[in-house]
Amino acid sequence: MVRITTLALLLAAVPLFVQSNHLLGLFIGVLFSAYLAQSWNILGGLCGQFSFGHAAFFGVGLYSSLILQVDFGWPAPLALVSAAVAGAVAGLFVGFVSFRYGLRGSYFALVTLAFAEILRMTASVVSFTGAGSGKYLPTRLGIEHLQFSKSGYFYFILVLFVLVHLLVLAIQNSRLGARFAAIREDEEAASALGVDVFRYKMIAILISSAVAGVGGCFYGQYYFYTDPHIAFGAAVSIEMLLAPIIGGAGTLFGPIVGAVVLRVAAELGQSLTGGVPGFNLILYGIMVILIVRYMPDGLIGGLRRPWALMRRRPTAATG
Amino acid sequence: MLTTQGLTKRFGGLVAVRDASISANAGDITALIGPNGAGKTTLFATVAGFLKPDAGSVTFGGRDITGMKPHQICDLGMVRTFQIVKPFGKLSVLDNIAVGAYARFPRRQDALAHAAAIGRQVGLGGQLEKIAAGLTVAGRKRLEVARALATSPRLLLLDEVMAGLTPTEIDEIVPIIFGIRDTGVTILLIEHVMQAVMRLSDRAYVLNEGHLIAEGTPQEVVREPAVIEAYLGPGAATRAQSFASRNAS
């Protein structure tokens, strides 16, 4: 709680010192990545259900928000809420068809991946999504339209970022979090101890996908555009799961660390190579291999171990 | 407290449990013994809702619980442990036990306080902050008992909590089990360590190849010829008897 508040206050001061729009954009990108990573972390890290198609929920939120604003004239704040609802509905559907039949591990991952792909292809052919040419949001600056200046967007995503982290913290410190962790560690033992495994997995995917849906809405307000590939493509799914895994899945700060590392690495890679397309993906691949090989608990877990050893040594010497 | 009527469980052509009728009386420690592969764990899993019986019924506290899910059965007050222990490896001992405690105490402080008290009761008081994966075998067995006990059960099913322990460790866990019984918890246990069964249980059932072959006090069942033969092979009972009479004469 204290650490999250401190981090939020420090970040809130960033626009006062950072004048460059490019740098502010980088901050927005990191916060946005961390937000989406945290959404994945609720289902994948806390509850242990690895989704490979979280773009599905992000994309459903993104499209529903844009369509409701553009074609139905809904006010943007209402579209934000509906993005959460749409994400949650998609999540409950995927959850029901997988968890009801006991799919877990790689089978669940494949179902989510397939679901995102189905949505991507559907969005490319049906007309109400704008098919392959995508969907535009007209520019209407103003808080009631959830459209801002660069620093305004920074505070918009900062608020979402803080809220999702407070949510995860609240889950971790409650019965809900304990039961998620029990399911992640051993489903059979959890059910013996009174945990309704199906119900709690559904709760996990409900929260996770609603959060992802809101992330989709933010994307639409920030970039004013989506197409099927942006909304449902594998790139989003992969980034959403890489950041928590690199940083430390199931921890509160792991997704933030992972998002910072990924974004900074991508940015450095771009400037070092003069913008070779796809270079960041090569970097991501190398990082994943190194992390999985040497720090299977992610950077947070990997760094905590030597740190704990260093702190234990003096007491061990006296004892 | 617990009664099964003609419980049968098949796996394909193999009948793991055939027509088993057992009961565990309130306040007793009832043992279920038998050679490896006799179907003891299958009977446990069927009673606790992990497997659906092909025939028969399970009655718990006067209520038919046949076919209920494990978590529902836990809510009613029956909980099992696992022979192959299943610690939540990355969680601390306290958090492990708290998962059980949350079944009765929705609030975090209450659950953690109850979990800590249970941890001390089973002798894990000094290791509450330790990560469960770092416990010894004996510690894991205790943790398995503690988690189940934290759900405040009326009936506790213990599946070989002494397997793999040294004689000293067994001597340490026996009083813990008596202590649990003395707080009013009925216990049904599977056990291979005969010395422990003889000391602990009020009644014993012997299962062999899915059949119940004997029941009574532990002292009675170990003298049954059918039980001796199940453990030592056909003809063993008569050989043992003639050996005993020859020594006597």
Side-chain angles (χ1 to χ4, degrees), chain A residues 100 170-179 181-199 249 296-297, chain B residues 50 69-72 74-75 78-80 82 85-91 95-96 98-100 102-106 108 144 147-148 151:
Chain A
R100 187 79 193 74
I171 292 174
Q172 282 183 325
N173 291 329
S174 70
R175 174 160 86 172
L176 192 60
R179 292 188 155 174
I183 291 172
R184 176 188 72 210
E185 298 293 320
D186 194 310
E187 284 186 19
E188 228 182 3
S191 69
L193 298 173
V195 179
D196 185 345
V197 171
F198 173 68
R199 177 157 166 248
D297 289 333
Chain B
F50 285 83
K69 297 253 169 58
H71 66 89
Q72 297 168 320
C74 175
D75 286 345
M78 186 205 302
V79 64
R80 75 173 286 199
F82 293 89
V85 291
K86 293 170 170 288
F88 303 130
K90 285 187 183 168
L91 308 188
D95 285 342
N96 264 268
V99 172
Y102 274 121
R104 293 286 174 269
F105 302 94
R108 177 176 157 88
E144 194 72 23
R147 276 193 325 201
T151 66

Side-chain angles (χ1 to χ4, degrees), chain B residues 8 19 25 27 29-30 33 38 60 68 88 91 124 140 153 167 172 177 182 202-203 208 212 223 229 245:
Chain B
T8 299
D19 198 22
N25 300 326
I29 297 180
T30 308
I33 60 177
F60 174 58
M68 277 193 181
F88 303 130
L91 308 188
L124 286 171
R140 289 176 192 209
E172 283 167 5
I177 294 175
D182 292 342
D202 303 299
R203 287 174 59 72
N208 185 38
L212 279 177
R223 282 196 218 103
E229 303 211 339
S245 56

Side-chain angles (χ1 to χ4, degrees), chain A residues 180-223:
Chain A
F180 284 175
I183 291 172
R184 176 188 72 210
E185 298 293 320
D186 194 310
E187 284 186 19
E188 228 182 3
S191 69
L193 298 173
V195 179
D196 185 345
V197 171
F198 173 68
R199 177 157 166 248
Y200 278 88
K201 282 185 184 173
M202 289 298 277
I203 295 174
I205 200 170
L206 167 78
I207 301 173
S208 175
S209 56
V211 169
V214 170
C217 175
F218 174 83
Y219 187 97
Q221 300 307 114
Y222 186 57
Y223 289 106

